[in-house]
Amino acid sequence: MKLWGGRFTKPTNELVDEYTASIYFDKKLAKYDIQGSLAHVEMLKVCGIIPAEDADKIAEGLKIVAAKIESGEAELSAENEDIHMNVEKLLIEEVGPVGGKLHTGRSRNDQVALDMRLYLREALLDLTELLVKVQQSLLNQAKLNLDTVMPGYTHLQRAQPVLFGHHMMAYVFMFQRDVERITDSWKRVNKSPLGAGALAGTTFPIDRDFVAEQLGFDGICENSLDAVSDRDFVVEFLANASLISTHLSRLCEEIVQWSSAEFNFVELDDAFSTGSSMMPQKKNPDVAELVRGKTGRVYGHLMGMLTTLKGLPLAYNKDMQEDKEGMFDTVETLKGALALFAPMVESMQVKKENMYSAVREDFSNATDLADYLVGKGMPFRESHAVVGQVVLHCINNNKYLLDLTLEEFQSYSDLIEEDIFEAITPETVVNARDVAGGTAKNRVEEQIEKALDFIKVSEDWVETHASKVHS
Ligand code: ARG
């Protein structure tokens, strides 16, 4: 008989059991469900709602059930619909009818909201840790490439030279915002919904703060209707995950481009590349492509969750069971990508000479020639036009700016002198961008210093918050 079978006269249609069950995926929540139940039963005992002896028996039974689920010994069934009722059934099998006291003052509605939050907060810790590792791998590449000049692009056209280290640091700052979004969202995730009951609270003299404190929450959800209806924290997570995926995907796209023969700027380590079944010469950046590709499912989960919630009346609706698979899949997808990313970036071989030739054989120092003329008193708009003429002359004569003679330069402006040749070398051009946030070596070093500071803050955050969750 079903746990809720009292008012029914017939068994559920088998297809209904199959269709409405969430046990296929919410079994992932077993550990959190039992963690929550242990805190709940302790509260029932402390508040004198059930006899201490019964509470202790239940707690013992729950631990046995946890072990049996973990080892795979316990049988979880669609007939028992979800993880909550499966655990309760197993508990009653273990300790007898006294197990039926566990659900006093509680509903699956507050219980599932609790489990989701317990699951997500651990995922947030793991993801932050992984993001920091990716930041560190990028930062290490930046340190190794403080003299590596590459073309910087706008419109994917060579624009101005930058340091490869500067380019790597751009991603470190993007991922930093991702870390900060996660750590900020923690405040909203880490609230206890337990005690909201089905929707209206409970008639038992429960102590919600006690449960919250036991579980390492920073407080309780203040409104019982909101507590069981709220899946904002899932949406917020999926939105933050979408931005992480966006950042990963942009870097993937660059790695794919840089690995092509057309760019030939980097070579991925053999351990992080794959081959072709037909073309023996191929070495493919599959990991980067797949991380880029998986962005689609993460965005999809965000849209799915938003759409599921839109228009739902308060309070709990079965629709909300759809919150789980997308969240789990997003966590797994990101963990997989981030875990691979750090060693892939770290082991990537940077082809400094090829980057340098790409800068040398181009006009990305044209702005600097214009700035040079401005330094000699010419208005920028005028110097822009003069340099345009010089570039055209080069194109027609198959030359770059550094190949011109002083006479050729002077035929466009007599303000140009011998020092022009030094003023437009790739190194000078890069180091002339000596402004906060700029690409000059000392400015990139400043960025690295800042990053080392915030990485330390993130590491401390993970440590202090992990101790709350695991104590
Ligand atoms: N399996 C359900 C879910 O994941 C648990 C809550 C069900 N509550 C209910 N009243 N049917 O959302």
Side-chain angles (χ1 to χ4, degrees):
M1 165 138 149
K2 289 245 157 61
L3 282 175
W4 42 252
R7 63 99 63 223
F8 289 78
T9 54
K10 274 187 186 175
T12 329
N13 178 299
E14 241 174 71
L15 288 176
V16 172
D17 274 345
E18 290 288 316
Y19 189 74
T20 59
S22 52
I23 189 63
Y24 311 111
F25 44 88
D26 69 12
K27 58 184 178 211
K28 252 201 174 64
L29 294 174
K31 169 179 145 193
Y32 308 98
D33 197 69
I34 292 173
Q35 185 188 0
S37 288
L38 285 168
H40 179 67
V41 79
E42 180 66 16
M43 182 278 292
L44 292 177
K45 170 173 140 180
V46 170
C47 294
I49 298 169
I50 67 170
E53 200 185 309
D54 293 350
D56 293 342
K57 237 189 225 164
I58 290 172
E60 280 318 300
L62 282 169
K63 285 175 197 160
I64 297 168
V65 170
K68 285 191 174 170
I69 293 178
E70 168 121 33
S71 71
E73 197 185 319
E75 207 191 303
L76 303 170
S77 75
E79 206 187 324
N80 290 319
E81 199 177 319
D82 55 24
I83 189 62
H84 324 295
M85 291 199 294
N86 270 279
V87 168
E88 196 174 326
K89 265 273 168 85
L90 290 166
L91 174 70
I92 292 169
E93 268 169 40
E94 207 60 55
V95 302
V98 69
K101 295 194 177 185
L102 170 64
H103 213 50
T104 312
R106 188 176 71 173
S107 155
R108 279 184 294 152
N109 297 351
D110 54 350
Q111 190 178 358
V112 72
L114 175 80
D115 293 4
M116 291 288 281
R117 287 167 184 267
L118 290 173
Y119 167 90
L120 186 57
R121 72 183 187 173
E122 267 189 46
L124 296 184
L125 288 172
D126 293 345
L127 290 170
T128 305
E129 226 175 332
L130 287 164
L131 274 168
V132 168
K133 289 206 177 114
V134 171
Q135 287 180 303
Q136 277 162 335
S137 69
L138 291 160
L139 192 139
N140 289 341
Q141 279 291 3
K143 279 189 186 160
L144 294 172
N145 289 286
L146 285 170
D147 294 302
T148 309
V149 183
M150 72 179 293
Y153 296 82
T154 65
H155 313 266
L156 200 55
Q157 306 290 319
R158 289 177 189 165
Q160 291 174 350
V162 294
L163 292 180
F164 186 67
H166 192 211
H167 199 115
M168 291 291 98
M169 289 308 294
Y171 283 99
V172 172
F173 284 93
M174 290 183 227
F175 288 123
Q176 181 54 22
R177 292 192 295 277
D178 293 329
V179 166
E180 287 170 18
R181 268 185 285 270
I182 288 186
T183 58
D184 189 67
S185 74
W186 176 274
K187 293 183 265 179
R188 288 171 289 282
V189 173
N190 203 34
K191 291 273 166 71
S192 173
L194 207 64
L199 74 164
T202 172
T203 55
F204 295 98
I206 60 166
D207 185 344
R208 293 190 61 196
D209 293 317
F210 177 88
V211 176
E213 204 173 306
Q214 287 242 310
L215 292 170
F217 283 111
D218 297 321
I220 60 167
C221 304
E222 303 284 351
N223 177 301
S224 66
L225 290 167
D226 181 37
V228 293
S229 306
D230 170 27
R231 294 294 183 275
D232 296 8
F233 64 96
V234 179
V235 172
E236 188 175 358
F237 166 65
L238 295 172
N240 293 341
S242 295
L243 272 172
I244 295 171
S245 302
T246 304
H247 292 153
L248 284 172
S249 188
R250 292 183 78 168
L251 181 51
C252 285
E253 169 63 15
E254 300 210 282
I255 290 173
V256 170
Q257 285 179 7
W258 294 337
S259 310
S260 70
E262 283 68 19
F263 274 82
N264 201 12
F265 283 178
V266 302
E267 181 165 346
L268 290 174
D269 194 82
D270 276 3
F272 293 92
S273 310
T274 49
S276 155
S277 60
M278 186 190 189
M279 299 167 283
Q281 83 285 10
K282 290 295 291 288
K283 178 169 169 183
N284 296 328
D286 274 22
V287 173
E289 293 168 76
L290 202 50
V291 169
R292 187 180 60 187
K294 282 178 188 287
T295 306
R297 65 203 282 161
V298 175
Y299 292 179
H301 294 319
L302 171 63
M303 282 306 124
M305 192 68 238
L306 282 168
T307 311
T308 294
L309 288 179
K310 173 189 172 295
L312 286 188
L314 302 188
Y316 179 83
N317 302 270
K318 184 74 168 177
D319 313 47
M320 289 158 76
Q321 182 166 291
E322 286 291 303
D323 60 358
K324 288 171 197 61
E325 288 159 290
M327 182 175 82
F328 296 155
D329 184 65
T330 300
V331 170
E332 301 296 320
T333 300
L334 282 188
K335 277 192 187 174
L338 292 169
L340 268 172
F341 231 81
M344 182 176 79
V345 167
E346 191 102 44
S347 62
M348 179 173 77
Q349 185 208 332
V350 178
K351 300 184 173 176
K352 302 184 184 194
E353 297 75 26
N354 293 352
M355 290 184 180
Y356 194 83
S357 330
V359 171
R360 180 62 186 74
E361 285 148 32
D362 193 59
F363 295 99
S364 55
N365 48 0
T367 314
D368 292 71
L369 175 55
D371 289 353
Y372 172 93
L373 289 170
V374 169
K376 305 266 172 173
M378 190 183 284
F380 180 75
R381 199 39 68 208
E382 206 175 301
S383 71
H384 187 287
V386 169
V387 177
Q389 295 282 301
V390 179
V391 168
L392 192 60
H393 168 86
C394 286
I395 291 169
N396 291 335
N397 292 280
N398 224 349
K399 286 182 174 185
Y400 297 104
L401 293 177
L402 279 169
D403 304 327
L404 296 177
T405 62
L406 187 58
E407 291 67 43
E408 280 175 295
F409 274 124
Q410 287 176 339
S411 68
Y412 289 93
S413 168
D414 52 16
L415 292 174
I416 301 176
E417 291 167 83
E418 189 62 39
D419 59 350
I420 188 58
F421 294 104
E422 176 52 31
I424 59 172
T425 66
E427 292 78 7
T428 312
V429 164
V430 162
N431 286 313
R433 265 99 190 139
D434 184 5
V435 57
T439 204
K441 182 177 178 175
N442 59 311
R443 297 304 189 162
V444 178
E445 282 168 339
E446 275 175 11
Q447 294 164 40
I448 291 176
E449 286 309 309
K450 290 224 166 82
L452 287 170
D453 287 347
F454 58 60
I455 283 175
K456 179 86 188 56
V457 171
S458 309
E459 286 174 334
D460 290 348
W461 183 88
V462 170
E463 204 181 306
T464 53
H465 289 74
S467 69
K468 267 194 193 181
V469 164
H470 297 126
S471 67

